[in-house]
Structure formats: structure tokens, C-alpha cells
């Protein structure tokens, strides 16, 4: 990729056509290149932040990976950065689930693409740190018999592990519902390994199959306590329509010990992803009541996001247990993040 261009040239070269989405730091617009009439996604980050350079550098080095969104140009000044990305028109995975008929087999295909993408990233000691359904965009090739294609986005939290050594967790990154237990325990701060992403694959798979976030509690503290206790449900009323392989796949990812968790390579050879046919297939779209619970969970993102930015007192949080949850711990931190 060429050098970043002057920020003011963005409006000269592109016309903004509409909003695609908002993240924690960025607003993403659909835009058209005025000369070629081609459409792109313009990711505008309010302040020039080190995470923009990290994102641009990772996207640049993986530009040949077709499951990772392509970066074409960067416009920058001291106030704002604009990343010109490939437009992924299908939308976020979760919203697709509510509108398109997908089978369990289709879902194994998407998760397989995700795992093979993570395999490539992890091979280069890169941890994405924010794997979740909102960061998995689907291209509009969902018409049968074509298999769904996906693009992984949002590398702003990504970490490059030096000499493949575990990285330090400070400050907390990622969305709390997706934080691996080792990120919340305080026995060791050097806990960032590629296994963190694999935990998120487990949470993402659970959500995409059931429409329910496995550790979502009534309060942020309850969510954290449930993660620390690895307290989630795999009963037949939720998973009865799916193959046993699907349940086994999730249960081998949502394990407290990062060492015991499946790696991306192990996921790819797990029967759920490697078998050609599924005997039981649940049909989508998800029912309306499941979808509304998903939407409610997504609106919780606002709370989750502020939590991820606050300076969580890890020691206090790790003391949360079913009998010893101290909501005041979270509330205090939560409120102080707004001061
Ligand atoms: P942030 O870095 O602030 O978290 P994201 O990169 O996650 O922002 O982008 C926010 C949202 O914008 C995504 O969840 C998605 O809905 C949308 N989006 C991001 N990149 C694209 C793209 N290349 N094509 C289409 N939509 C996109």
C-alpha cells in the first residue's frame, strides 16, 4: 500500500453514500470513488490513534488473504484517519442469521473460514483480540448453491506477540462478554495468547447457533462471574436441533485453561468442521423471540463497551463468585468511566 494521503483529499476523491455501521472508535460509511464509480467502505476514526497504524499494517500484510477485509488507501491528518476498505455488502453475521435461511452446514462453513483465517494470523503470532459476530461480515453470496463467504474486520485491538511469548493484558481490550477467563483472572498479567481468540470462536459459535450470548448475565458483574466460573448451558432445549459435533466443538473451546482449549488447527480437524455432511440441520431464520434477545444483547454493547474502556479493578473482579458478587465493584468502575 502507498503512503497515507492528505485527509482533505478524501472528499475530493470519494462521495459518501450512506452509513454502514458504528464501532467503538470508528464510523464506517459506504462511499463511491468519483472517477471509477466503484464502491468502498470508508472507516473514519476520530483521532489519529496508534491502533489505526496497527490495523493498517496488519491489513496490509494480509492483503492476499481473501477472508480478511482488503485495505486500499489511507487518508490522514492530525485529527482523523480514513481507511478505504473493500465494501462487504452482506452485513454483520448476526443480522444475516435473522433474515436468510441458513443451515447448520452453512454455519460450519462460516466458522471454518473464521478458523482458517485465525490459523494464518496465529501462525504469524498475531492475536485479533476482538473476534465476535459483529466483526464477521458476510459477502452477498448467500444464494444457494454458493457457500457463504466472509471477511474479518476490525484489527484495531490486534496484538503481535513478541517471540510468540504471552503478552500483557493491560489495558483490557475487547468486549467483556467475549473476554476469556484468563483475561479476568489476576494471577498472571501475561495472559494474551492466541487461545484468547479461540475462546471467542467458542462464544461466537454459540451465539450464531442459538442467538444467545453464553455468559450474558443480568449485570456486568454477573457476566464476569459466569465467565470466571465457565458457567454456560449446552442443554438439548437449545442445542437439540444440532449435531452432537456442534456441542462437542463448543465445549472444547469454552474451557477455562487456555492450554486445554482447541487451537485453530485443531478446530479445522474437528469433526464438526471436517465432516462433509450434517445429518441434523436446523433451518434459519431464527425465531422472532430469539432475535429480540439477540438485539437486546447487542444494545448491551453500550454498557459492555464502556466496561472495556474503564480501568477494571481486576483483583476485585476476580473475587466475584456466585456467592460473593459485589455489584458495587462494577457500578463504581462503570460510573467512574464517565467522569
Ligand atoms: P471499530 O474499530 O470502531 O470497532 P469496526 O471496524 O468494527 O469499527 O466497524 C464498525 C461496523 O461498521 C462493523 O461492525 C460493520 O457493521 C461496519 N463495517 C466495518 N467495515 C466494513 C466494511 N468493509 N464493509 C461494510 N461494513 C463495514
Amino acid at each position: 500500500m502507498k503512503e497515507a494521503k492528505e485527509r482533505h483529499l478524501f472528499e475530493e476523491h470519494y462521495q459518501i453514500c450512506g452509513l454502514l455501521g458504528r464501532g467503538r472508535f470508528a464510523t464506517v460509511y459506504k462511499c463511491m470513488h468519483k472517477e471509477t464509480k466503484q464502491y468502498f467502505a470508508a472507516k473514519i476514526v476520530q483521532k489519529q490513534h496508534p491502533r489505526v497504524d496497527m490495523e493498517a499494517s496488519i491489513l496490509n500484510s494480509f492483503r492476499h488473504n481473501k477472508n480478511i477485509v482488503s485495505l486500499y488507501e489511507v487518508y490522514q491528518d492530525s485529527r482523523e484517519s480514513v481507511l478505504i476498505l473493500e465494501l462487504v455488502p452482506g452485513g454483520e453475521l448476526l443480522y444475516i442469521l435473522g433474515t436468510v435461511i441458513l443451515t447448520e452446514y452453512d454455519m460450519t462453513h462460516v466458522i471454518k473460514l473464521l478458523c482458517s483465517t485465525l490459523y494464518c494470523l496465529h501462525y504469524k503470532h498475531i492475536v485479533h483480540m476482538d473476534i465476535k459476530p459483529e466483526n464477521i461480515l458476510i459477502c452477498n453470496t448467500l444464494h444457494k448453491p454458493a457457500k457463504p463467504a466472509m471477511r474479518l474486520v476490525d484489527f484495531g485491538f490486534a496484538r503481535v506477540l513478541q517471540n510468540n511469548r504471552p503478552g500483557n493484558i493491560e489495558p483490557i481490550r475487547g468486549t467483556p462478554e467475549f473476554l476469556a477467563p484468563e483475561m479476568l483472572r489476576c494471577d498472571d498479567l501475561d495472559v494474551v495468547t492466541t487461545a484468547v481468540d479461540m475462546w471467542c470462536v467458542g462464544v461466537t459459535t454459540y451465539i450464531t447457533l442459538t442467538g444467545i450470548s453464553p455468559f450474558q448475565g443480568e449485570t456486568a458483574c454477573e457476566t464476569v462471574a459466569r465467565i470466571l466460573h465457565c458457567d454456560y448451558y449446552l442443554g438439548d432445549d437449545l442445542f437439540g436441533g444440532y449435531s452432537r459435533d456442534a456441542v462437542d466443538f463448543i465445549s472444547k473451546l469454552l474451557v477455562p485453561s487456555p492450554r486445554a482449549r482447541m487451537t485453530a488447527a485443531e478446530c479445522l480437524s474437528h469433526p464438526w468442521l471436517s465432516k462433509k455432511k450434517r445429518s441434523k440441520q436446523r433451518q434459519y431464520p431464527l425465531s422472532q423471540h430469539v432475535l429480540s434477545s439477540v438485539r437486546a444483547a447487542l444494545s448491551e454493547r453500550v454498557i459492555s463497551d464502556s466496561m472495556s474502556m474503564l480501568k477494571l479493578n481486576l483483583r476485585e473482579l476476580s473475587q466475584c463468585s456466585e456467592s460473593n458478587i459485589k455489584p458495587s465493584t462494577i457500578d463504581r468502575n462503570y460510573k467512574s468511566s464517565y467522569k
Side-chain angles (χ1 to χ4, degrees):
M1 200 191 59
K2 293 172 220 142
E3 293 232 321
K5 295 178 181 161
E6 288 290 323
R7 165 70 184 84
H8 67 92
L9 292 174
F10 167 65
E11 277 82 9
E12 252 178 56
H13 297 168
Y14 292 88
Q15 183 185 331
I16 288 188
C17 310
L19 182 70
L20 287 169
R22 281 183 211 281
R24 263 166 294 206
F25 299 98
T27 308
V28 184
Y29 296 96
K30 181 176 176 179
C31 64
M32 186 185 71
H33 191 269
K34 290 181 182 171
E35 211 173 286
T36 63
K37 310 286 181 222
Q38 262 187 295
Y39 287 100
F40 295 91
K43 174 169 174 169
I44 304 186
V45 184
Q46 280 309 324
K47 274 187 201 137
Q48 193 177 347
H49 195 279
R51 68 192 298 276
V52 178
D53 294 334
M54 169 61 86
E55 178 155 31
S57 129
I58 292 177
L59 291 181
N60 210 15
S61 54
F62 282 89
R63 61 187 174 280
H64 301 302
N65 188 315
K66 61 179 177 9
N67 299 324
I68 292 179
V69 72
S70 300
L71 171 69
Y72 296 107
E73 290 189 288
V74 179
Y75 292 83
Q76 245 170 20
D77 64 15
S78 55
R79 240 173 19 91
E80 254 181 4
S81 298
V82 186
L83 305 187
I84 305 295
L85 303 166
E86 160 194 17
L87 175 67
V88 191
E92 297 174 12
L93 176 59
L94 220 50
Y95 291 103
I96 296 283
L97 292 178
T99 50
V100 182
I101 305 283
L102 289 179
T103 63
E104 180 182 343
Y105 184 52
D106 291 322
M107 286 317 308
T108 63
H109 184 68
V110 173
I111 300 297
K112 198 168 172 175
L113 293 178
L114 174 63
C115 290
S116 61
T117 313
L118 288 175
Y119 177 79
C120 298
L121 287 169
H122 293 174
Y123 184 75
K124 300 228 163 147
H125 314 309
I126 295 171
V127 190
H128 182 280
M129 300 289 291
D130 204 12
I131 297 293
K132 54 182 178 178
E134 296 92 309
N135 287 333
I136 299 167
L137 304 187
I138 301 294
C139 310
N140 40 343
T141 50
L142 286 170
H143 314 288
K144 302 288 165 67
K147 286 178 178 168
M150 59 143 265
R151 301 284 186 271
L152 187 59
V153 299
D154 197 359
F155 286 74
F157 285 144
R159 291 278 296 271
V160 183
L161 302 178
Q162 300 306 322
N163 304 320
N164 203 21
R165 291 230 177 85
N168 195 289
I169 55 164
E170 299 281 4
I172 281 191
R173 291 153 190 259
T175 308
E177 279 165 75
F178 290 81
L179 285 178
E182 63 268 27
M183 306 271 287
L184 296 165
R185 278 186 230 118
C186 58
D187 37 359
D188 184 0
L189 287 182
D190 291 331
V191 290
V192 175
T193 66
T194 52
V196 163
D197 281 347
M198 300 320 295
W199 173 271
C200 298
V201 173
V203 177
T204 299
T205 307
Y206 192 109
I207 292 177
T208 53
L209 292 181
T210 64
I212 293 167
S213 186
F215 300 102
Q216 182 84 48
E218 296 275 313
T219 61
C221 190
E222 199 182 312
T223 303
V224 168
R226 291 190 62 192
I227 295 171
L228 286 168
H229 289 90
C230 208
D231 168 20
Y232 65 99
Y233 180 73
L234 283 175
D236 269 358
D237 43 344
L238 265 185
F239 285 91
Y242 296 113
S243 63
R244 296 312 301 165
D245 288 340
V247 174
D248 188 69
F249 183 80
I250 292 171
S251 67
K252 287 184 169 145
L253 286 168
L254 297 184
V255 288
S257 162
R259 285 170 197 274
R261 216 168 283 154
M262 281 197 291
T263 61
E266 285 165 348
C267 284
L268 290 169
S269 52
H270 185 277
W272 193 55
L273 298 190
S274 56
K275 267 188 203 163
K276 288 274 176 267
K277 287 272 172 233
R278 305 263 121 241
S279 49
K280 288 182 181 177
Q281 294 192 335
R282 176 175 282 189
Q283 298 291 315
Y284 284 88
L286 297 170
S287 68
Q288 278 315 307
H289 85 273
V290 170
L291 273 180
S292 57
S293 74
V294 171
R295 293 206 177 97
L298 284 180
S299 65
E300 285 281 318
R301 225 194 289 178
V302 181
I303 296 173
S304 306
D305 289 350
S306 56
M307 231 190 100
S308 70
M309 280 183 261
L310 58 77
K311 305 92 206 157
L312 276 178
N313 183 332
L314 289 174
R315 235 163 247 292
E316 281 182 81
L317 275 182
S318 69
Q319 282 157 11
C320 288
S321 68
E322 273 147 342
S323 56
N324 185 27
I325 292 175
K326 295 185 216 141
S328 56
T329 308
I330 296 288
D331 290 347
R332 199 173 61 234
N333 284 321
Y334 177 58
K335 281 176 198 141
S336 67
S337 71
Y338 280 102
K339 281 180 187 161

